[in-house]
Amino acid sequence: MRKSVEFDVKIYDNKIEIIPLEEVDGNHNYEITIEDIQAKNSNRSLERIKYNFTTEMYPCFVSLESVKSLVEDLGLDDNLLLYYIREASEEAEYRSSCPIDYDKLPFWVRQYVRYKAAYDALFRTMLSNVPEAGYSGTLADITFNNPSSQASAKSVLNELKGELDKWKQEVENCGQYGYAEPRRTIHHIRNRNHGHHVNLTTIGRLR
């Protein structure tokens, strides 16, 4: 859905300042179009210019640079990565079994978002390139041609998936993956004749 934003314009010599008169929304792409600009002392006019930008993504639990470091040689679009960082951040909050403090994000949450965003962006990019190239081979459950051209990206994808699965478990269990949390402990004398106490522990849930 396209939305117009009212704005004011100020011109300083060869600079143009565009000032929104209303609050712009986060998590949105905006386009600025500049046209019909004519030079003051001649008949020359400026060619039409279009500029696109993305407002702050929220929630955004990791920086763009931290995700790019995982896939820096694969040329993924920054806006695509920002979108998947936001999506992964929302999913981390949904999956977490304990409240997330935005000011003190746990390490396992940040790691999950990094690998989730990188994996999803790379996977989507590879799928979108398949029809254009006309390749065939195997990527997850998808088949395409000439897999050698995708070998590097596929290798990175597999590595990302392994890390993603690990950090997903950490997020779902508040960083306590592999531990059991006792719900209650019952102290009980099994048999007076035995003369000793036995501790019976009931496991409430696995963490």
Side-chain angles (χ1 to χ4, degrees):
M1 178 179 178
R2 298 181 66 88
K3 174 186 175 183
S4 297
V5 176
E6 295 295 325
F7 61 91
D8 191 14
V9 175
K10 293 183 179 180
I11 300 177
Y12 308 94
D13 295 326
N14 63 342
K15 295 183 179 180
I16 299 176
E17 182 179 2
I18 300 174
I19 307 169
L21 299 178
E22 56 188 276
E23 185 176 353
V24 295
D25 297 327
N27 300 328
H28 279 70
N29 293 318
Y30 285 90
E31 179 181 271
I32 296 175
T33 302
I34 301 175
E35 56 187 352
D36 298 329
I37 302 295
Q38 189 168 353
K40 183 176 180 180
N41 300 319
S42 70
N43 293 325
R44 296 176 58 190
S45 60
L46 184 69
E47 294 182 2
R48 187 180 189 187
I49 297 175
K50 282 188 176 183
Y51 176 73
N52 293 279
F53 68 95
T54 303
T55 54
E56 181 181 8
M57 294 291 183
Y58 186 84
C60 192
F61 292 166
V62 297
S63 67
L64 174 63
E65 289 71 23
S66 69
V67 177
K68 290 181 70 173
S69 68
L70 300 175
V71 289
E72 58 186 350
D73 296 329
L74 300 175
L76 298 184
D77 180 73
D78 285 359
N79 286 331
L80 182 68
L81 288 173
L82 284 170
Y83 169 78
Y84 280 112
I85 289 173
R86 192 275 307 274
E87 293 295 293
S89 298
E90 288 186 340
E91 185 169 325
E93 192 167 24
Y94 172 78
R95 287 185 176 277
S96 178
S97 57
C98 54
I100 292 179
D101 184 348
Y102 284 16
D103 296 324
K104 297 179 180 179
L105 287 171
F107 177 70
W108 58 84
V109 170
R110 288 183 278 118
Q111 288 295 89
Y112 172 79
V113 172
R114 285 183 70 213
Y115 285 99
K116 175 68 174 172
Y119 177 86
D120 286 348
L122 178 57
F123 188 75
R124 177 54 52 193
T125 298
M126 293 179 70
L127 290 186
S128 64
N129 290 337
V130 167
E132 298 177 2
Y135 299 143
S136 70
T138 301
L139 169 63
D141 296 327
I142 309 300
T143 301
F144 58 93
N145 267 333
N146 194 6
S148 61
S149 65
Q150 302 281 339
S152 177
K154 182 179 178 181
S155 175
V156 173
L157 196 71
N158 290 336
E159 292 179 10
L160 293 175
K161 185 62 166 61
E163 289 294 315
L164 175 58
D165 289 343
K166 178 178 72 175
W167 294 113
K168 176 182 173 182
Q169 296 286 347
E170 295 284 347
V171 167
E172 291 177 343
N173 296 283
C174 280
Q176 311 249 345
Y177 178 57
Y179 293 90
E181 179 187 42
R183 178 185 296 172
R184 64 182 182 272
T185 301
I186 303 173
H187 297 281
H188 176 66
I189 301 176
R190 176 177 294 178
N191 191 317
R192 289 186 178 181
N193 295 330
H194 289 171
H196 66 273
H197 296 269
V198 179
N199 293 331
L200 302 180
T201 301
T202 301
I203 304 301
R205 62 189 175 99
L206 291 179
R207 299 189 67 183

